[in-house]
């Protein structure tokens, strides 16, 4: 049973690695350009490197290529300390502070100290403090690592969970909350490691892969939040463009002068938009509105039109009248006043009009 629990934990840890690396690669360009994102990206990237080196298949592969060596474990622990340094850096920037060179120097000295402790220890192949027997390369080595991680994780978790409830940026709050929870899992991991170093309880080793796996999954999710928000926004814009297209197509057929550029097929506009996607949606809304301004002179409603279904019928009649060659007249009611007070409300209103327009009898939509 204990072996099965450990195997499941190792699977969770491997899944976390498989989740972290794609997010690290996809967010690399944006993170390297944005100072505020660089710390969280570096923290996840170095944590992914450390966790990867800790996976048994990767360890075996490295040993097969280089032979048994303690350098793999040393590299893993150095990556872990770099991750702690990135966590502190991210926390400093997230709270509005300036990066302090003293912190970078301190972590640099910690890396040198760990290398020195490793080289000064008797010959060893692996680094471990789990289970019975003396810690290798030394107890001091592990105490330095554990103290570094616990300090960084405690500060970061406290700051992230505190600031995740502030501000109006929902994506930032979610990212901070996920990162804080992931950091808390890492803190629990190192608390368990310290307990094993000092007391060697049997329940610690099976628990560690679960904590490290949750830590990786939550930090990967935190780093992925901006990308998810962008994808969601792009999907919403595509859906809006698709819903407005039939109405736009029929209106600009009757009033071709309102188009800002040459008309293209729907699929071409979808796959190769002329400019940013949100501009395509905005342009569609503007051209529909301009067409309404022209077509209002081809109908004579008795009362103001605000209901989307009524507006759809009015546009159908106005379009037909213009295509039939009727002359424009000054309407008694200004039908162009219907809509929203801002771009979001206007978009929602025109989407309702477009839906009602598509629901009209097919024979009435074109000549």
């Amino acid at each position: 049973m204990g072996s099965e629990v450990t195997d499941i934990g190792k699977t969770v840890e491997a899944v976390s690695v498989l989740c972290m690396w794609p997010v690290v690669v996809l967010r690399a360009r944006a993170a390297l350009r944005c100072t505020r994102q660089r710390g969280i990206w570096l923290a996840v990237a170095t944590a992914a490197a450390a966790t990867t080196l800790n996976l048994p298949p990767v360890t075996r592969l490295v040993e097969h290529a280089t032979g048994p060596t303690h350098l793999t474990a040393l590299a893993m622990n150095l990556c872990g300390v770099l991750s702690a340094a990135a966590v502190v850096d991210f926390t400093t920037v997230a709270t509005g502070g300036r990066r302090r060179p003293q912190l970078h120097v301190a972590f640099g000295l910690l890396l040198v100290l760990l290398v020195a402790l490793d080289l000064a220890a008797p010959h060893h192949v692996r680094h471990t403090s789990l289970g019975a027997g003396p810690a290798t390369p030394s107890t001091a080595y592990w105490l330095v690592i554990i103290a570094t991680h616990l300090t960084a994780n405690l500060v970061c978790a406290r700051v992230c969970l505190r600031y995740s409830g502030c501000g109006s940026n929902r994506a930032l709050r979610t990212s901070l909350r996920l990162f804080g929870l992931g950091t808390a899992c890492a803190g629990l991991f190192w608390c368990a490691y310290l307990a094993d170093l000092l007391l060697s309880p049997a329940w610690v080793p099976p628990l560690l892969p679960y904590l490290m796996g949750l830590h990786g999954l939550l930090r990967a999710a935190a780093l992925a939040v901006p990308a998810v928000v962008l994808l969601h926004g792009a999907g919403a814009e595509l859906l809006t463009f698709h819903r407005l297209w039939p109405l736009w197509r029929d209106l600009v057929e009757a009033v071709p002068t309102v188009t800002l550029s040459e008309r293209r097929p729907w699929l071409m506009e979808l796959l190769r938009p002329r400019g940013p996607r949100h501009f395509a949606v905005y342009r569609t809304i503007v051209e529909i509105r301009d067409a309404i301004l022209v077509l209002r002179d081809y109908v004579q409603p008795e009362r103001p039109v605000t209901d989307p279904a009524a507006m759809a019928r009015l546009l159908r009649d106005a379009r037909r009248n213009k295509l039939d060659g009727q002359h424009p007249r000054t309407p008694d009611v200004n039908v162009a006043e219907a809509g929203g007070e801002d771009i979001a409300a206007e978009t929602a209103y025109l989407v309702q009009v477009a839906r009602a327009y598509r629901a009209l009898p097919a024979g009435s939509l074109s000549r």
Side-chain angles (χ1 to χ4, degrees):
M1 182 65 181
S3 177
E4 292 180 0
V5 172
T6 303
D7 290 341
I8 295 174
K10 286 294 184 181
T11 301
V12 173
E13 192 174 11
V15 170
S16 73
V17 171
L18 293 177
C19 292
M20 280 191 285
W21 280 120
V23 176
V24 166
V25 172
L26 291 175
R27 297 295 300 162
R29 184 177 179 183
L32 294 176
R33 288 185 301 178
C34 178
T35 303
R36 289 186 173 273
Q37 296 184 29
R38 198 171 301 154
I40 188 173
W41 178 86
L42 186 58
V44 177
T46 48
T51 309
T52 301
L53 291 172
N54 192 46
L55 296 177
V58 176
T59 302
R60 289 194 296 267
L61 182 63
V62 173
E63 288 184 352
H64 178 75
T66 64
T69 175
H70 66 103
L71 295 180
T72 303
L74 178 62
M76 177 188 69
N77 290 323
L78 293 181
C79 285
V81 173
L82 286 175
S83 180
V87 163
V88 173
D89 183 77
F90 164 72
T91 303
T92 303
V93 174
T95 54
R98 294 183 178 181
R99 286 188 169 90
R100 297 182 179 180
Q102 301 94 315
L103 289 175
H104 298 166
V105 172
F107 276 101
L109 292 176
L110 278 174
L111 294 175
V112 173
L113 176 61
L114 290 175
V115 173
L117 289 172
D118 180 71
L119 296 177
H123 176 74
H124 56 282
V125 176
R126 287 179 172 81
H127 290 192
T128 182
S129 66
L130 300 178
T136 55
S138 66
T139 301
Y141 175 90
W142 283 108
L143 287 176
V144 170
I145 289 178
I146 293 171
T148 300
H149 281 286
L150 284 179
T151 302
N153 291 330
L154 178 63
V155 173
C156 181
R158 181 175 176 274
V159 169
C160 287
L161 297 179
R162 174 186 175 186
Y163 282 86
S164 63
C166 306
S168 58
N169 190 324
R170 184 178 179 182
L172 178 59
R173 296 201 313 270
T174 301
S175 184
L176 284 174
R177 189 172 293 117
L178 290 170
F179 195 83
L181 291 173
T183 301
C185 288
L188 291 175
F189 174 91
W190 289 109
C191 285
Y193 224 102
L194 179 61
D196 188 84
L197 179 67
L198 300 178
L199 304 173
S200 299
W203 55 266
V204 168
L207 179 65
L208 295 180
Y210 290 95
L211 291 174
M212 188 52 62
L214 284 174
H215 147 263
L217 290 171
L218 289 167
R219 283 193 173 179
L223 186 59
V225 166
V228 172
V229 171
L230 289 175
L231 288 175
H232 179 269
E237 289 169 353
L238 284 174
L239 184 59
T240 300
F241 182 78
H242 172 71
R243 288 172 172 172
L244 291 175
W245 177 267
L247 176 63
W248 174 87
R249 177 196 60 209
D250 282 5
L251 296 188
V252 300
E253 180 185 2
V255 194
T257 55
V258 300
T259 57
L260 300 177
S261 55
E262 181 183 357
R263 291 175 57 191
R264 299 193 301 171
W266 171 83
L267 188 60
M268 183 68 71
E269 290 286 358
L270 193 67
L271 298 179
R272 298 187 61 185
R274 289 172 287 200
R277 178 68 58 189
H278 68 273
F279 175 76
V281 174
Y282 183 74
R283 189 198 68 191
T284 302
I285 292 171
V286 170
E287 292 177 355
I288 289 175
R289 266 299 169 189
D290 289 345
I292 292 175
L293 289 174
V294 176
L295 292 176
R296 66 181 178 177
D297 296 339
Y298 291 86
V299 288
Q300 292 293 325
E302 298 179 356
R303 60 181 64 88
V305 178
T306 58
D307 180 68
M311 176 64 78
R313 292 191 296 271
L314 181 144
L315 292 176
R316 173 201 60 187
D317 295 339
R319 174 181 179 274
R320 183 178 59 241
N321 293 340
K322 186 175 187 306
L323 291 175
D324 286 341
Q326 293 188 17
H327 295 290
R329 295 175 295 173
T330 303
D332 297 328
V333 177
N334 186 4
V335 301
E337 292 180 353
E341 298 181 354
D342 54 37
I343 187 63
E346 179 70 12
T347 302
Y349 175 76
L350 290 180
V351 166
Q352 295 180 40
V353 173
R355 184 182 296 115
Y357 188 84
R358 290 197 305 270
L360 294 172
S364 65
L365 295 184
S366 60
R367 294 180 44 171

